[in-house]
Amino acid sequence: MKYTVSIKRNHEFQRLYRKGRSAVSPALALYCRKRKGEGNRLGLTVGTKVGKAVVRNRVRRRIREAYRVHEGDFLTGYDLVVVARVRAAHVPYRVIEKQLLALADKLGLMRRDAP
């Protein structure tokens, strides 16, 4: 991810859950909040209900890759947290990618000049 830094601290996740805007789909939930500064920060949450470690890591890799491929289409200056729901473990990569983009568009995070 060229322009994005990871969110790793619990209090930053909690702030997004409390004060951020959100949108949900069957496999994902996306929280966002405008921030000061350049670039985006991305946090991923995959709970133990999704599956064991191998499954959770696969879901995490898929979400990260879907974001990385379309990173240039996102507006900058946002904190983003993607929460994987249980269904995320059982859907193909293309579904995760499609739902991530739909949620971002719903929250107004996509550039208008993007295809």
Side-chain angles (χ1 to χ4, degrees):
M1 292 182 289
K2 199 171 182 181
Y3 307 107
T4 305
V5 179
S6 293
I7 296 175
K8 295 185 178 174
R9 298 199 172 167
N10 186 37
H11 70 89
E12 294 171 337
F13 281 91
Q14 295 301 323
R15 184 180 330 131
L16 269 164
Y17 295 145
R18 277 194 318 270
K19 297 186 178 184
R21 295 182 303 139
S22 65
V24 296
S25 68
L28 302 172
L30 178 63
Y31 293 84
C32 72
R33 185 168 190 238
K34 186 82 171 145
R35 71 184 200 96
K36 296 175 184 170
E38 293 293 319
N40 289 337
R41 296 192 312 164
L42 179 68
L44 300 175
T45 303
V46 184
T48 55
K49 283 185 178 182
V50 174
K52 297 199 180 207
V54 173
V55 175
R56 293 194 310 266
N57 286 329
R58 184 182 328 119
V59 170
R60 204 173 289 122
R61 283 193 309 267
R62 287 178 172 180
I63 294 169
R64 195 177 294 121
E65 177 64 9
Y67 178 81
R68 185 194 68 80
V69 168
H70 297 284
E71 183 177 23
D73 299 337
F74 281 78
L75 294 173
T76 58
Y78 284 91
D79 283 345
L80 307 168
V81 170
V82 181
V83 179
R85 301 174 87 187
V86 175
R87 196 173 292 179
H90 308 292
V91 297
Y93 166 77
R94 293 291 176 198
V95 173
I96 290 176
E97 181 180 37
K98 183 178 175 184
Q99 288 184 13
L100 178 64
L101 294 176
L103 293 175
D105 191 44
K106 187 175 183 180
L107 291 172
L109 299 175
M110 302 301 284
R111 294 184 191 276
R112 290 295 154 208
D113 57 350

